[in-house]
Amino acid sequence: MKYEGQKQREMFDRRRNSWIKNSAYIFNAIFSDGSNIEVQVNSEFSSSENAFNYAEKYSKVIGQLPNILRKDVRTVWIHKGKKPFGGGNFNLLIHTDQGDEYISKGILEETLIHEAAHTSIDAYLYPERLTNGERWIEAVEKDGSCYISTYAKDYPYREDIAELFPLYIAVKYFPDRITEELRDIILSCCFNRIKYFDEQDYEMNLYEN
């Protein structure tokens, strides 16, 4: 982590549900694979030391994401508050009070996988992207338009990929960490979409052991 000082940045803040301009604390998070992400921490954290602690805390987890999920992440926004995380805009959005709740429930990593899928995968697979989008829809239809969650079913062209990708990782890379019953549910509902993910030969950098 390299501190770059305070600089003016435009960030989205869910507490206001709008874009804000902020003299944010800026950190350059550099990962072992050579990639880097600018972490922008709201000035409300009052000191560069306090901001650094949050930047480092979340960058470590982001650095553990599969390579494909960090591919289009250029910035991270960190604010206080208990509002849902977000993905898209070449960014990951974090609200730290909400982050504490995700940590207490043991779902911080899964949440970041979900949001990073929005950032780095959605734009390449949904229908408006023509060829790949058509193939994704074909996979959905082959699965009988079954969705793994109500959220995915209610927003099929927005949440299906993000809801499914953490489960793809579980089935493909960590099958010993889920029950056979859950594995069967995932595959019986989404086998062709799981197969489609696998055919993309994504750079994951994940290992079973």
Side-chain angles (χ1 to χ4, degrees):
M1 297 290 291
K2 292 185 177 180
Y3 180 49
E4 306 287 350
Q6 283 189 260
K7 300 180 182 181
Q8 195 76 5
R9 292 290 187 267
E10 188 172 33
M11 313 159 75
F12 191 83
D13 187 336
R14 282 199 195 277
R15 295 169 299 180
R16 302 183 183 182
N17 199 31
S18 67
W19 294 88
I20 64 168
K21 290 184 178 179
N22 185 263
S23 181
Y25 298 102
I26 304 299
F27 300 89
N28 187 23
I30 303 169
F31 302 98
S32 59
D33 63 0
S35 63
N36 67 288
I37 294 172
E38 183 177 279
V39 183
Q40 305 169 6
V41 184
N42 194 307
S43 60
E44 66 189 338
F45 286 91
S46 301
S47 71
S48 59
E49 292 81 8
N50 194 26
F52 174 87
N53 290 334
Y54 284 99
E56 183 179 49
K57 174 181 178 177
Y58 286 104
S59 292
K60 283 184 176 179
V61 183
I62 292 167
Q64 294 172 327
L65 292 173
N67 289 12
I68 179 61
L69 295 183
R70 288 188 288 113
K71 181 176 72 72
D72 285 348
V73 178
R74 298 176 186 171
T75 59
V76 175
W77 299 322
I78 300 180
H79 305 287
K80 292 182 180 181
K82 192 173 183 180
K83 291 293 182 180
F85 284 19
N89 298 300
F90 300 101
N91 174 272
L92 293 173
L93 167 65
I94 291 169
H95 284 275
T96 57
D97 294 327
Q98 186 69 57
D100 289 342
E101 181 173 306
Y102 291 149
I103 291 168
S104 70
K105 291 181 178 179
I107 60 168
L108 176 64
E109 292 82 1
E110 290 88 341
T111 301
L112 285 170
I113 290 170
H114 174 109
E115 301 302 345
H118 282 311
T119 306
S120 294
I121 296 181
D122 280 3
Y124 301 96
L125 296 190
Y126 279 136
E128 62 271 19
R129 296 300 174 172
L130 300 175
T131 302
N132 285 341
E134 290 172 3
R135 289 188 60 202
W136 178 255
I137 294 303
E138 288 174 6
V140 173
E141 291 175 348
K142 287 180 181 178
D143 285 330
S145 296
C146 179
Y147 294 94
I148 203 64
S149 70
T150 301
Y151 195 32
K153 182 178 180 180
D154 289 345
Y155 304 98
Y157 297 146
R158 193 186 80 190
E159 298 298 337
D160 190 21
I161 289 170
E163 286 285 272
L164 186 56
F165 209 82
L167 302 179
Y168 163 66
I169 291 174
V171 168
K172 173 71 176 180
Y173 295 94
F174 305 105
D176 58 318
R177 300 187 188 181
I178 60 175
T179 65
E180 288 188 17
E181 180 183 11
L182 178 56
R183 179 180 179 275
D184 290 345
I185 289 171
I186 296 167
L187 291 177
S188 65
C189 179
C190 305
F191 175 80
N192 288 286
R193 277 164 287 177
I194 294 286
K195 182 170 178 281
Y196 181 82
F197 283 148
D198 215 32
E199 289 170 351
Q200 304 314 299
D201 195 28
Y202 288 133
E203 183 180 357
M204 301 292 286
N205 196 29
L206 289 175
Y207 303 93
E208 294 183 17
N209 296 316

